Amino acid sequence: MRLAWAMARVVATAAVAGALVLAAGCGRAPGSKVTITVWEQMDPPERAQFEKHIAEFMKRDTNVVIVHQNYDTETLRTQFQTAANGGSGPEIVFGPSDQVGPFSVMGIIQPLEQVEGLGPAYFAGFEAASLDTLDGHLYYAPDQMGNHLVLIYNRRLAPRPPGTTDELIAMARRATVPGRGGAPGTYGLVLNMVEPFWLAPFLAGYGGWVMDARNQPTLDSPGMVQSLRFLSDLRTVHRVIPQECNYQVMETLFKENKAAFLVNGPWSWQGYRAAGVDFGIAPLPRVSSTGNWCAPMTASKGYSINRNCPKGSLPAVVALLKYLTGPGVQAENARALLTLPSATAAYQDSFVKSDEFLRQSRAAYSLGRRMPVVPEMRAIWDAMRPQMERVLNGQTSPDSAAKNMQAMALKQIRLMKE
């Protein structure tokens, strides 16, 4: 049993008082009980919001009990695949859109537009950019869109964001102060140097991308070589990044006011506020040599329905999905989590319309590129990660790494289809 199983949270809340309005709407016989299990990979603040919403739903329909379990992203994917392929698993699985590709190919989640109550009229209420189709089908109902990287700047160390990568380097160099006497220094920039998700915006800025229109990898490209070299130079030439800089290191340094600039996504902002950091956000800068914006990958997170969901539970599951993805819940989440709603009507909310963080977030989102949700994306991530690490550790050149990424991705995709 993996560690994440031990960490899994199980919350079951008994129904409280309330009307039978939703039950009647579901077509269930009055008094019939339904238990809905949700597997999700929400971080603690997001999970707290979710628990508040499902408690409210159960107040409205006292015959529904909602149970949820929390996993990290990878464990959720593997556990759900195992369970659903074995004929079991939760009624609903919640996660990032890139898990939809493998799930849909395996046939373990349902095309939602074919589920009664989730037809075209329901999906017409979403921002078009928040929906991904695979072979013409919609496999998840998003409750947010974005999941994109932005530039975060500590106002104590950097009064404004840079417009270009050259300006970013110049400002980061001025902010970098070496540590003395064993004390940690201050760094101009921190980002996760071991995950290719953080490489993707710079790859796009240098004119490259991860795959073509036929879902074939395009990793051996000048853009990949230049973006790898740019990240490597931040450490070895400009010396504005720590020698070791993974997610935990960058989080710690920024929260301790030891980093001027940070690259991270909306899921992290509330944590910096709680730590007392005075910060702003902005789109990632243009690449000076190309004039292109660094384009973060954009995605959605949402709910899919297990193919093994009992027919008798489906009406209640549909009612729950409609509630959790409705504009009211999404506007509440935007206030609490600073997530961009996927429901168009939520943008009429006064906070969503006026908040500066959400305005900057949407500006950054508009410069991004949609993360492919096809199964080939998994093979491409797995091919990029080790080669990116080898370049940044000085073990190989950007040119060799780009070639190796391409070869490895092609091999993994071929094996995946055998």
Side-chain angles (χ1 to χ4, degrees):
M1 196 70 70
R2 297 179 62 170
L3 177 61
W5 272 101
M7 296 173 63
R9 297 191 62 204
V10 181
V11 176
T13 307
V16 198
L20 292 176
V21 175
L22 290 178
C26 295
R28 282 185 279 118
S32 61
K33 297 285 186 181
V34 174
T35 297
I36 300 173
T37 301
V38 182
W39 286 4
E40 41 81 10
Q41 54 77 255
M42 301 173 185
D43 56 32
E46 187 177 20
R47 195 162 58 243
Q49 282 293 111
F50 175 73
E51 290 170 351
K52 187 176 79 171
H53 297 315
I54 61 175
E56 176 61 29
F57 184 89
M58 288 188 287
K59 284 182 182 177
R60 299 183 184 191
D61 189 341
T62 57
N63 288 316
V64 173
V65 175
I66 303 168
V67 178
H68 75 97
Q69 294 187 1
N70 174 254
Y71 300 97
D72 65 71
T73 302
E74 287 304 305
T75 306
L76 175 71
R77 183 172 62 84
T78 56
Q79 295 291 356
F80 181 73
Q81 288 175 189
T82 301
N85 277 318
S88 61
E91 281 75 17
I92 296 173
V93 58
F94 174 90
S97 55
D98 59 344
Q99 72 183 11
V100 170
F103 290 173
S104 66
V105 169
M106 295 175 194
I108 56 178
I109 53 177
Q110 301 187 31
L112 296 187
E113 81 281 357
Q114 297 177 4
V115 175
E116 185 175 355
L118 297 179
Y122 168 68
F123 283 107
F126 290 90
E127 294 284 288
S130 70
L131 300 174
D132 291 296
T133 58
L134 275 170
D135 298 326
H137 297 299
L138 292 160
Y139 285 97
Y140 72 101
D143 75 337
Q144 60 190 271
M145 63 181 194
N147 207 41
H148 52 296
L149 296 173
V150 303
L151 187 68
I152 306 171
Y153 57 102
N154 184 323
R155 290 193 173 96
R156 285 178 53 182
L157 304 172
R160 62 175 178 80
T164 65
T165 50
D166 282 353
E167 193 178 8
L168 171 62
I169 292 169
M171 295 176 74
R173 293 183 76 156
R174 287 196 294 272
T176 300
V177 179
R180 292 180 179 174
T186 299
Y187 295 92
L189 174 65
V190 288
L191 56 85
N192 190 346
M193 300 284 270
V194 298
E195 279 297 331
F197 187 68
W198 270 256
L199 170 63
F202 300 97
L203 171 63
Y206 280 101
W209 194 237
V210 292
M211 66 171 61
D212 61 20
R214 297 176 296 116
N215 302 335
Q216 291 300 299
T218 54
L219 304 177
D220 184 11
S221 68
M224 178 61 77
V225 173
Q226 291 170 320
S227 58
L228 286 169
R229 184 168 293 125
F230 173 79
L231 290 188
S232 179
D233 285 353
L234 290 174
R235 175 185 288 165
T236 60
V237 176
H238 307 298
R239 300 187 178 187
V240 296
I241 282 184
Q243 282 299 311
E244 302 293 333
C245 197
N246 57 24
Y247 194 90
Q248 289 70 29
V249 169
M250 74 175 198
E251 280 272 282
T252 300
L253 288 170
F254 196 76
K255 287 179 178 178
E256 294 179 349
N257 290 304
K258 294 293 185 183
F261 295 105
L262 163 71
V263 179
N264 211 353
W267 56 86
S268 66
W269 302 340
Q270 292 292 19
Y272 306 142
R273 281 185 170 176
V277 181
D278 180 14
F279 68 97
I281 67 169
L284 290 162
R286 292 179 186 271
V287 172
S288 298
S289 61
T290 66
N292 298 330
W293 286 99
C294 291
M297 280 194 170
T298 65
S300 302
K301 292 176 75 176
Y303 301 89
S304 299
I305 300 178
N306 189 342
R307 73 175 179 193
N308 304 310
C309 178
K311 287 186 178 178
S313 301
L314 202 51
V317 167
V318 168
L320 178 60
L321 255 60
K322 284 185 169 180
Y323 175 73
L324 292 172
T325 59
V329 166
Q330 291 201 36
E332 276 191 49
N333 288 344
R335 290 172 185 270
L337 305 170
L338 296 175
T339 50
L340 290 177
S342 61
T344 301
Y347 285 90
Q348 297 306 309
D349 178 83
S350 60
F351 176 84
V352 176
K353 284 196 291 188
S354 62
D355 182 72
E356 177 62 14
F357 269 79
L358 291 181
R359 193 180 70 80
Q360 290 293 339
S361 178
R362 198 159 192 191
Y365 176 84
S366 70
L367 296 169
R369 292 184 65 171
R370 197 74 182 159
M371 180 190 297
V373 297
V374 294
E376 289 85 352
M377 194 62 226
R378 165 59 49 184
I380 289 174
W381 284 138
D382 291 344
M384 290 175 69
R385 187 175 294 104
Q387 294 302 318
M388 177 182 171
E389 285 191 62
R390 285 177 61 78
V391 170
L392 299 178
N393 290 334
Q395 296 171 309
T396 192
S397 69
D399 298 83
S400 296
K403 288 180 171 57
N404 292 338
M405 286 180 185
Q406 180 74 9
M408 189 180 299
L410 288 170
K411 179 181 178 181
Q412 291 298 324
I413 291 171
R414 187 174 63 251
L415 292 173
M416 186 175 68
K417 294 182 176 179
E418 286 180 355

